[in-house]
C-alpha cells in the first residue's frame, strides 16, 4: 500500500471492533477499518477507465499504565472494477441491541460492508480475523444478489443469516427503492433502525410526512410480484406523521423512540412518532419493564389499558401485576393506570397490533415454551366485560401483600388501593371507607393520639377521604358512610365534600341522640334500604328476652307499625320470616299478603295464600275464587249458615260469571259447562242448565240432562238447535271460502311486491307512510285547487253575501247578535271559549288507510288467511254436531254438513296450491330472464311464506268418514 496516499482515502468506516483484547500483556482495542481509495486508470473491455481500490486495515490501540499508543497491524487492498459511488457498513453491524430484536433472521454483520459502484453494481465485502493470534486480516469481495433499478448515492442494508439482504437506496432523483421495488417516488431521506424494526423515510411534496415500513414486512415481501400484489403489506402499520416541508431525517435513537429531523432553516427538532412509540412500549411490556412503560405512556398520552390488553392472562395469572407493583415507585403512575381501565380490548380498535409484530411474538413464544403450553394458551380465552373488576381485585391483593413486607413503607399503596375500590363496578366505597377508618385507627394507636380528638381528623385520613371524594360522587360517598352507621365517618366525608353544614350537621346530631336500632332504621329508610330498615325496626321493638317461650316479647303497637311498613313497601316475605314465632301476627301478615296480591290482579295466587292462613281467611278466599273463576273452591268456602235463598242467588251470579269466562281460568265451552253444572247442582234449574250446554254446542250432554231429569219437551228443542247450528256452519263455510280466495289472490301479489322491495334494498318495515314526495304533491295539488277556487270566488263581485261578509269582518263593531245560541250570542265571533270544538282533522294515514303492497297489508292478509281456516276446536264441534244429527234422524242435514266441510277443505288446498304453482313459475321465469340479461337473481324468502304455504283445515276424524261411507252406501 505504499503507492496510496492517505489523502486519497474516502468514505472511511469502522466495520468491526474488539474491546479489551490482550496482546503481550497490554489491554488493547482493535478497530477494523475499510475505505475507498482512488487508483490509477485500468483497462477493461470498454477501454481505459478509472477504478477505485478497497483498502482495509486494522488499528491497535494499546493502553498501558503510562501511555497510549496506536499501531497499524495488518493492511490489504482489493482493486475494484469501477469507481465507488457509496461505501457503507451494514445497519446491523456493531449493534448489540439486535439480540433484543423480534427479527430473528438478523445477524451481526461485523467485518462486512456494502459497496455500490457508479454503474449501480452492488458488492459486499467480508473480512475475518485470521492468523495465529487473530490479528491478521483477510478480506474478500462477493457479488450481491440484490439489484437496484438505478444508481443510488444513499444506500443502507441489513445482512441476514439466511444469506438474504435487505438493501434500500435513494437515487439522485429522490426515488426510494427496495431492491427492484420502488417504495416512494419523492423522498428526501431515509434511515434503517433494526432496534425499532422500521424503515423510516421523509416524503417530499405539498404535505411532507415521515413514514414507517416494518422491516419484517419488507423481508417477507416478494419482489417478483406486481406493484399491487403486496400493497396490503406495505400499508399495514401505524399512521405517518406530518412534518414541515423540506425536513430531512438526521438520526433515530437506538434506545428511545425518538427521531431527529433537520428543518429547512437548519435547526434540529426531536419528535416521538406514534409508529415508534407504540411498538417500543409493546416491547417494554413484553419484557415486563412496567416502570419505564408507564412513564413513557404517561408522557406520550398512550392508553394504559395496553398493559393488560396485550396479554390479559399473562398479566393477571402470570405475575405481571406483581412485577408492576414491585417496579413502580411513583404511586401517581399506578393511580393513572387504575383510572384508565375500561372493559374493552383496545388492541382491536384503538391500538391494533400489526401482524408482523404478532408473528414475531409467536416465534419468541415458540422458542421459550413447549407445544403443549402454546396449545393450552390458545384455548384459554379472556372475558373483557369483567376486565376492570378482575384487574382491580388482583392489583389490590398484590399491593396489600407488598405493603406488609416493608414496615417503614407501610401505607405506601393506600391511595392506589382506594382507587381500585372506587374503579370497580359497582364501586366498593364501603370497603374503601372501612380501609380509611382502619388505617386511621392504626395510625392513632402508633402515634398515641389524644382520644378527645376524632381519629378521622388526622392529615392522612383527611387526605385519603379527600382523594376518595375526588374519585366518586360526594353524595354517594356520604350516603355510603351514613349506611355504615358511622356518623363520625359521615361527618368527616361531608367536610371534604360540597355539602352544606346546615343540612348534614343537624341530621347527624339527631341520629346520634336516637337509640341504636331506631337510628339505623331511619338511616335505612333515608337510603331506601327497606329490608334492612324492617329488620332494625323489628329489633328496636324487642323489649326483653323471655326464657320460657324462648323468643323475644313484642308490643302490639310496635307490630302495627311494622305491619304498616311491610304493607307500604311490600316486604311480606321478610315479615313472615321475622314474625315466625308469633302465630297471630304471622297469620295477619299472610292475610295482608293475600290482599296485596288480590289488588295486583293475581287472584289465583291470592286464593292459595288466603287458604294457607291459619285459620283460613274464607272471606278473602271467596273473593279471589270468584275473581279467577274457580267455582269449585268458591263453593267449598261457602259458609254453612247461608240460607237456601242466599245460596241460590249466589249460585246464579257465580254461574253467570263462570259462563262468561270471567277470570280466564276456563275456556268458552268449559265455562258454559261449569255454569250449567252450578245451575243444576245448587239451583236445580234444569232448563237453564240445558240452555247453557246447548250454547256450548254440547248436544250429547244436553240430551243426557233432558232424559235424566225427564225434560222431554227439551229434546226436540235440542234437535232444532243442532239443525240450526249445522245450517249456520254451512253458510259460514261459504263466507270463509270467499274471504280466503280473495285474500289468497291478493296475498300472491303482495308477496311479489315485498320480495322486489327486499331485492332493491327497501326496508321491509317501511310502509311508505313517510313518503315526502306524495305529501308534497298532495299539498301542491291542494294549494293549486284552493288558489283556483279563491280566484273564482274573488272574481264574482255580484255576490251580496260575499260583500256583506267582508263588511262585517272589517266593520268597527266586532259583535253579532244573530247567533241562535243564547250562551254565546253576546261573545265576539273570534272568542271560541264555550263553543263546540272542531273535529280533529284526520291524519294522512287515516285518510288513505293501509297502503297497497306495504308490510302492514301483508300482515293483515296473513291474519285473514289464518282466521278463515277452520282450526281444531271448530272441527271438533262440527264432528260432534254431525254425529249427533246422525243419531236423531237428521241424516240429511248431517250429510250436507259433512260435504260442505269437505268441499271447503278441498277448495282451500286447491287455491293454496294454485298460488304456490304460480309463484314458482313466475320465480323461474324471472330467474331465467335475469340470467339472460347477465344479472344476478337474488332468491328472497319472506318470514310468513313457510307458514302460509302449509295452511290447511283440520282434518275430520276417520271415524266420521267411515260413518258417512256406510250411510251413503245404504
Amino acid at each position: 500500500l505504499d503507492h496510496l496516499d492517505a489523502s486519497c482515502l474516502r468514505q472511511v468506516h469502522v466495520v468491526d471492533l474488539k474491546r479489551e483484547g490482550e496482546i503481550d500483556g497490554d489491554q488493547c482495542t482493535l478497530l477494523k477499518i475499510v475505505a475507498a481509495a482512488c487508483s490509477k486508470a485500468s483497462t477493461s473491455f470498454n477501454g481505459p477507465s478509472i477504478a477505485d481500490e478497497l483498502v482495509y486495515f486494522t488499528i491497535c490501540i494499546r493502553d498501558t499504565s503510562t501511555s497510549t499508543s496506536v499501531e497499524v497491524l495488518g493492511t490489504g487492498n482489493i482493486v475494484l472494477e469501477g469507481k465507488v459511488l457509496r461505501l457503507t457498513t451494514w445497519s446491523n453491524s456493531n449493534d448489540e441491541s439486535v439480540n433484543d430484536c423480534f427479527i430473528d433472521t438478523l445477524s451481526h454483520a461485523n467485518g462486512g460492508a456494502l459497496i455500490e459502484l457508479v454503474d449501480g453494481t452492488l458488492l459486499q465485502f467480508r473480512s475475518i480475523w485470521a492468523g495465529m493470534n487473530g490479528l491478521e486480516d483477510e478480506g474478500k469481495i462477493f457479488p450481491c444478489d440484490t439489484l437496484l433499478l438505478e444508481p443510488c448515492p444513499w444506500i443502507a442494508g441489513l445482512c441476514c443469516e439466511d444469506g438474504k439482504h435487505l438493501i434500500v437506496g435513494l437515487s439522485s432523483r429522490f426515488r426510494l427503492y427496495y431492491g427492484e421495488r420502488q417504495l416512494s417516488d419523492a423522498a428526501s431521506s431515509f434511515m434503517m433502525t433494526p432496534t425499532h424494526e422500521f424503515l423510516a423515510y421523509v416524503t417530499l411534496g405539498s404535505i411532507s410526512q415521515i413514514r414507517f415500513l416494518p422491516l419484517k414486512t419488507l423481508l417477507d415481501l416478494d419482489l417478483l410480484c406486481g406493484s399491487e400484489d403486496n400493497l396490503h403489506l406495505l400499508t399495514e402499520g401505524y399512521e405517518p406523521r406530518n412534518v414541515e416541508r423540506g425536513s430531512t431525517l438526521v438520526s433515530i435513537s437506538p434506545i428511545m423512540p425518538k427521531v431527529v429531523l433537520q428543518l429547512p432553516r437548519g435547526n434540529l427538532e426531536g419528535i416521538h412518532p406514534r409508529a415508534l412509540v407504540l411498538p417500543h412500549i409493546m416491547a417494554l411490556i413484553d419484557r415486563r419493564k412496567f416502570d419505564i412503560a408507564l412513564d413513557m405512556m404517561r408522557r406520550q398520552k398512550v392508553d394504559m389499558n395496553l398493559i393488560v390488553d396485550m396479554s390479559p392472562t399473562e398479566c393477571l395469572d402470570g405475575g405481571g401485576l406483581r412485577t408492576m407493583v414491585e417496579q413502580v415507585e411513583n404511586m401517581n403512575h399506578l393511580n393513572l393506570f387504575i383510572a384508565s381501565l375500561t372493559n374493552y380490548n383496545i388492541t382491536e380498535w384503538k391500538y391494533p397490533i400489526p401482524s408482523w409484530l404478532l408473528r414475531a411474538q409467536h416465534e419468541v413464544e415458540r422458542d421459550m415454551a413447549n407445544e403443549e403450553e402454546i396449545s393450552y394458551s390458545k384455548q384459554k380465552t379472556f372475558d373483557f366485560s369483567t376486565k376492570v373488576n378482575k384487574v382491580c381485585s388482583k392489583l389490590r391483593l398484590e399491593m396489600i401483600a407488598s405493603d406488609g413486607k416493608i414496615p417503614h413503607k407501610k401505607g405506601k399503596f393506600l391511595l392506589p388501593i382506594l382507587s381500585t375500590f372506587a374503579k370497580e363496578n359497582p364501586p366498593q366505597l364501603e370497603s374503601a371507607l372501612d380501609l380509611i377508618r382502619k388505617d386511621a385507627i392504626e395510625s392513632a394507636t402508633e402515634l398515641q393520639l389524644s382520644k378527645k380528638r376524632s381519629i378521622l381528623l388526622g392529615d392522612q385520613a383527611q387526605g385519603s377521604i379527600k382523594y376518595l371524594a375526588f374519585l366518586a360522587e360526594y353524595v354517594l360517598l356520604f350516603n355510603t358512610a351514613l349506611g355504615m352507621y358511622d356518623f363520625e365517618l359521615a361527618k368527616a366525608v361531608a367536610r371534604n365534600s360540597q355539602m352544606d353544614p346546615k343540612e348534614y350537621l343537624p341530621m347527624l346530631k339527631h341520629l346520634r341522640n336516637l337509640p341504636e336500632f331506631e337510628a339505623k332504621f331511619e338511616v335505612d329508610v333515608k337510603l331506601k334500604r327497606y329490608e334492612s330498615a324492617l329488620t332494625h325496626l323489628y329489633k328496636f321493638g324487642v323489649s326483653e328476652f323471655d326464657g320460657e317461650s324462648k323468643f323475644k316479647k313484642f308490643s302490639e303497637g310496635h307490630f302495627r307499625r311494622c305491619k304498616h311498613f311491610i304493607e307500604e313497601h311490600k316486604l311480606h316475605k321478610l315479615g313472615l320470616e321475622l314474625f315466625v314465632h308469633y302465630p297471630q301476627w304471622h297469620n295477619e301478615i299472610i292475610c295482608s299478603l293475600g290482599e296485596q296480591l288480590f289488588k295486583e290482579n293475581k287472584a289465583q295466587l291470592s286464593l292459595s295464600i288466603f287458604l294457607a292462613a291459619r285459620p283460613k281467611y274464607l272471606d278473602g278466599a271467596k273473593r279471589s275464587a270468584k275473581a279467577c273463576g274457580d267455582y269449585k273452591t268458591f263453593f267449598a268456602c261457602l259458609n254453612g249458615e247461608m240460607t237456601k235463598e242466599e245460596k241460590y242467588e249466589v249460585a246464579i251470579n257465580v254461574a253467570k260469571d263462570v259462563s262468561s269466562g270471567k277470570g280466564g281460568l276456563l275456556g268458552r265451552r268449559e265455562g258454559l259447562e261449569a255454569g250449567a253444572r252450578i245451575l243444576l247442582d245448587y239451583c236445580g234449574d234444569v232448563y237453564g242448565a240445558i240452555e247453557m250446554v246447548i250454547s256450548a254446542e254440547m248436544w250429547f250432554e244436553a240430551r243426557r240432562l233432558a232424559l235424566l231429569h225427564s225434560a222431554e219437551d227439551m229434546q226436540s228443542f235440542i234437535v232444532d238447535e243442532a239443525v240450526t247450528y249445522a245450517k249456520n256452519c254451512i253458510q259460514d263455510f261459504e263466507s270463509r271460502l270467499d274471504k280466503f280466495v280473495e285474500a289468497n289472490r291478493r296475498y300472491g301479489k303482495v308477496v311479489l311486491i315485498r320480495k322486489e322491495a327486499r331485492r332493491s334494498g327497501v326496508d321491509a318495515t317501511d310502509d311508505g307512510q313517510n313518503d315526502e314526495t306524495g305529501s308534497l304533491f298532495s299539498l301542491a295539488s291542494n294549494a293549486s285547487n284552493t288558489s283556483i277556487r279563491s280566484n273564482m270566488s274573488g272574481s264574482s263581485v255580484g255576490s251580496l253575501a260575499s260583500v256583506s261578509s267582508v263588511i262585517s269582518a272589517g266593520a268597527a263593531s266586532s259583535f253579532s247578535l244573530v247567533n241562535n245560541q243564547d250562551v254565546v250570542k253576546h261573545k265576539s265571533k273570534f272568542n271560541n271559549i264555550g263553543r263546540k270544538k272542531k273535529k280533529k282533522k284526520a291524519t294522512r294515514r287515516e285518510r288513505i288507510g293501509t297502503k297497497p303492497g306495504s308490510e302492514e297489508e301483508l300482515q293483515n292478509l296473513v291474519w285473514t288467511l289464518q282466521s278463515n281456516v277452520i282450526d281444531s276446536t271448530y272441527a271438533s264441534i262440527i264432528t260432534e254436531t254431525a254425529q249427533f244429527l246422525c243419531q236423531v234422524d237428521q241424516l240429511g242435514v248431517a250429510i250436507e254438513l259433512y260435504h260442505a266441510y269437505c268441499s271447503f277443505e278441498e277448495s282451500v288446498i286447491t287455491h293454496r296450491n294454485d298460488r304456490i304453482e304460480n309463484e314458482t313459475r313466475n320465480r323461474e321465469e324471472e330467474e331465467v330472464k335475469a340470467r339472460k340479461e347477465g344479472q344476478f337473481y337474488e332468491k328472497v324468502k319472506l318470514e310468513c311464506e313457510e307458514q302460509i304455504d302449509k295452511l290447511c283445515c283440520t282434518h275430520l276424524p276417520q271415524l266420521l268418514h267411515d260413518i258417512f261411507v256406510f250411510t251413503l252406501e245404504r
Side-chain angles (χ1 to χ4, degrees), residues 110-231:
N110 297 341
L114 179 63
I115 307 168
E116 183 186 15
L117 303 182
V118 291
D119 59 354
T121 303
L122 294 177
L123 304 173
Q124 54 177 328
F125 167 75
R126 294 180 184 176
S127 176
I128 58 174
W129 301 97
M132 297 297 294
N133 53 2
L135 300 181
E136 298 180 8
D137 198 2
E138 294 182 1
K140 295 183 180 180
I141 293 292
F142 299 92
C144 191
D145 56 355
T146 304
L147 298 177
L148 296 175
L149 292 180
E150 60 178 309
C152 297
W154 303 275
I155 59 173
L158 292 177
C159 184
C160 305
E161 293 179 351
D162 54 2
K164 187 176 180 180
H165 301 93
L166 195 158
I167 300 176
V168 179
L170 181 64
S171 68
S172 57
R173 291 184 289 182
F174 303 105
R175 294 176 180 173
L176 186 65
Y177 296 100
Y178 164 47
E180 300 180 18
R181 179 72 176 267
Q182 179 177 317
L183 300 179
S184 176
D185 58 353
S188 63
S189 56
F190 76 96
M191 184 170 292
M192 278 189 182
T193 166
T195 55
H196 297 293
E197 309 164 38
F198 277 108
L199 167 66
Y201 65 94
V202 179
T203 62
L204 296 172
S206 59
I207 301 178
S208 296
Q209 292 179 331
I210 178 170
R211 299 180 181 178
F212 300 88
L213 294 179
L215 297 180
K216 184 72 175 178
T217 301
L218 291 177
L219 287 174
D220 297 338
L221 191 66
D222 189 358
L223 297 178
L224 299 180
C225 292
S227 59
E228 298 180 357
D229 293 338
N230 296 322
L231 185 61

Side-chain angles (χ1 to χ4, degrees), residues 127 197 280 330 379 387 466 838:
S127 176
E197 309 164 38
H280 183 73
N330 192 340
Q379 294 174 359
K387 182 184 76 172
K466 189 179 297 185
K838 294 183 179 180

Side-chain angles (χ1 to χ4, degrees), residues 832-849:
N832 294 324
I833 299 177
R835 301 178 187 271
K836 293 182 179 180
K837 295 183 178 179
K838 294 183 179 180
K839 293 184 179 180
K840 187 178 179 181
K841 188 177 180 180
T843 61
R844 181 172 179 267
R845 185 184 184 92
E846 294 173 349
R847 292 196 305 271
I848 66 175

Side-chain angles (χ1 to χ4, degrees), residues 665-679:
L665 188 63
L666 301 175
R668 186 187 69 88
R669 303 187 73 196
E670 291 80 2
L672 291 171
E673 184 182 9
R677 180 170 294 277
I678 293 172
L679 291 177

Side-chain angles (χ1 to χ4, degrees), residues 309-503:
D309 295 347
M310 275 193 63
S311 181
T313 306
E314 181 69 19
C315 186
L316 291 172
D317 303 331
L321 293 179
R322 184 185 305 112
T323 306
M324 179 191 297
V325 171
E326 294 173 354
Q327 290 180 356
V328 178
E329 294 294 333
N330 192 340
M331 295 300 102
N332 291 331
H333 292 178
L334 284 178
N335 291 331
L336 287 174
F337 167 71
I338 297 168
S340 65
L341 290 175
T342 57
N343 285 324
Y344 302 102
N345 184 7
I346 64 170
T347 60
E348 293 182 353
W349 57 279
K350 191 174 184 179
Y351 301 140
I353 303 178
S355 59
W356 50 269
L357 185 58
L358 287 175
R359 290 197 302 268
Q361 288 179 344
H362 292 332
E363 291 173 1
V364 174
E365 290 177 359
R366 194 181 302 112
D367 295 338
M368 299 177 61
N370 298 326
E371 294 294 333
E372 297 180 357
E373 296 177 354
I374 294 175
S375 61
Y376 173 75
S377 63
K378 288 182 179 180
Q379 294 174 359
K380 209 168 185 181
T381 57
F382 184 78
D383 184 12
F384 281 91
S385 62
T386 60
K387 182 184 76 172
V388 174
N389 289 351
K390 289 181 179 179
V391 173
C392 289
S393 301
K394 184 66 175 179
L395 187 61
R396 182 167 58 248
L397 293 176
E398 296 296 342
M399 288 189 292
I400 292 174
S402 179
D403 198 18
K405 293 180 181 179
I406 307 176
H408 66 278
K409 291 187 177 181
K410 194 171 184 180
K412 170 185 175 182
F413 297 101
L414 178 60
L415 297 185
I417 291 174
L418 295 178
S419 299
T420 59
F421 282 124
K423 187 63 181 178
E424 287 192 30
N425 186 22
Q428 305 295 325
L429 297 181
E430 186 172 345
S431 301
L433 290 173
D434 186 61
L435 177 64
I436 293 175
R437 182 171 56 186
K438 290 180 180 179
D439 183 74
I441 294 173
E442 293 179 1
S443 300
T445 304
E446 294 177 359
L447 300 176
Q448 297 180 357
L449 298 177
S450 175
K451 296 183 179 180
K452 295 182 180 180
R453 186 185 179 187
S454 176
I455 58 176
L456 296 173
L457 297 179
D459 295 338
Q460 185 173 354
Q462 288 292 308
S464 302
I465 293 174
K466 189 179 297 185
Y467 178 74
L468 190 60
F470 168 75
L471 297 177
E473 295 182 4
Y474 67 90
V475 177
L476 180 61
L477 190 62
F478 175 77
N479 291 337
T480 304
L482 196 64
M484 297 171 65
Y485 313 113
D486 190 342
F487 305 129
E488 290 294 332
L489 182 60
K491 181 179 178 180
V493 170
R495 289 182 58 184
N496 292 278
S497 63
Q498 301 176 4
M499 297 185 65
D500 188 0
K502 295 180 181 180
E503 294 181 1

Side-chain angles (χ1 to χ4, degrees), residues 526-755:
K526 176 180 174 57
L527 301 179
K528 298 182 180 181
R529 302 188 303 191
Y530 299 119
E531 291 187 359
S532 177
L534 179 60
T535 304
H536 288 133
L537 182 61
Y538 169 80
K539 292 180 180 179
F540 175 66
V542 175
S543 57
E544 60 183 357
F545 185 80
D546 189 352
E548 296 180 357
S549 59
K550 295 185 180 179
F551 63 87
K552 301 176 182 180
K553 292 182 178 180
F554 215 80
S555 64
E556 179 73 22
H558 198 74
F559 169 73
R560 298 304 168 193
R561 184 182 177 186
C562 292
K563 182 182 177 182
H564 176 73
F565 191 80
I566 289 171
E567 292 176 348
E568 182 181 0
H569 300 288
K570 302 179 182 179
L571 301 174
H572 297 85
K573 182 179 179 181
L574 180 59
L576 292 173
E577 295 175 0
L578 294 175
F579 290 93
V580 66
H581 298 295
Y582 304 88
Q584 179 182 356
W585 295 336
H586 187 270
N587 196 59
E588 285 192 32
I589 297 176
I590 290 179
C591 295
S592 175
L593 175 60
E595 295 290 350
Q596 180 67 36
L597 294 173
F598 185 78
K599 292 178 182 178
E600 296 175 357
N601 295 325
K602 299 178 181 178
Q604 286 184 272
L605 184 56
S606 65
L607 175 61
S608 302
I609 297 298
F610 284 134
L611 295 178
R614 294 295 179 270
K616 298 179 179 179
Y617 187 40
L618 296 180
D619 187 25
K622 287 188 292 184
R623 286 187 282 112
S624 298
K626 190 175 180 181
C628 67
D630 189 355
Y631 73 96
K632 297 180 181 179
T633 306
F634 175 81
F635 284 103
C637 296
L638 282 179
N639 195 346
E641 298 179 356
M642 294 181 63
T643 62
K644 187 176 181 180
E645 291 77 9
E646 293 175 350
K647 187 177 291 186
Y648 179 83
E649 185 178 355
V650 170
I652 291 178
N653 294 331
V654 172
K656 291 180 179 179
D657 294 339
V658 173
S659 60
S660 63
K662 185 177 180 180
L665 188 63
L666 301 175
R668 186 187 69 88
R669 303 187 73 196
E670 291 80 2
L672 291 171
E673 184 182 9
R677 180 170 294 277
I678 293 172
L679 291 177
L680 191 63
D681 294 343
Y682 292 94
C683 302
D685 188 0
V686 177
Y687 291 93
I690 293 175
E691 288 179 358
M692 278 196 177
V693 174
I694 290 174
S695 300
E697 296 91 22
M698 295 181 176
W699 319 112
F700 291 100
E701 180 66 15
R703 185 179 61 176
R704 185 188 71 82
L705 293 176
L707 292 174
L708 178 65
H709 296 281
S710 301
E712 298 178 356
D713 55 335
M714 292 295 294
Q715 296 184 21
S716 59
F717 176 73
I718 295 170
V719 174
D720 293 340
E721 289 294 324
V723 171
T724 303
Y725 181 77
K727 293 180 179 180
N728 291 336
C729 288
I730 295 173
Q731 295 178 1
D732 183 58
F733 296 159
E734 296 175 357
S735 175
R736 283 174 178 261
L737 183 60
D738 293 339
K739 295 178 181 179
F740 182 87
V741 171
E742 179 63 24
N744 185 65
R745 181 189 62 79
R746 181 58 186 168
Y747 172 80
K749 297 180 180 180
V750 174
V751 165
L752 294 177
I753 295 174
R754 299 314 304 166
K755 286 185 177 181

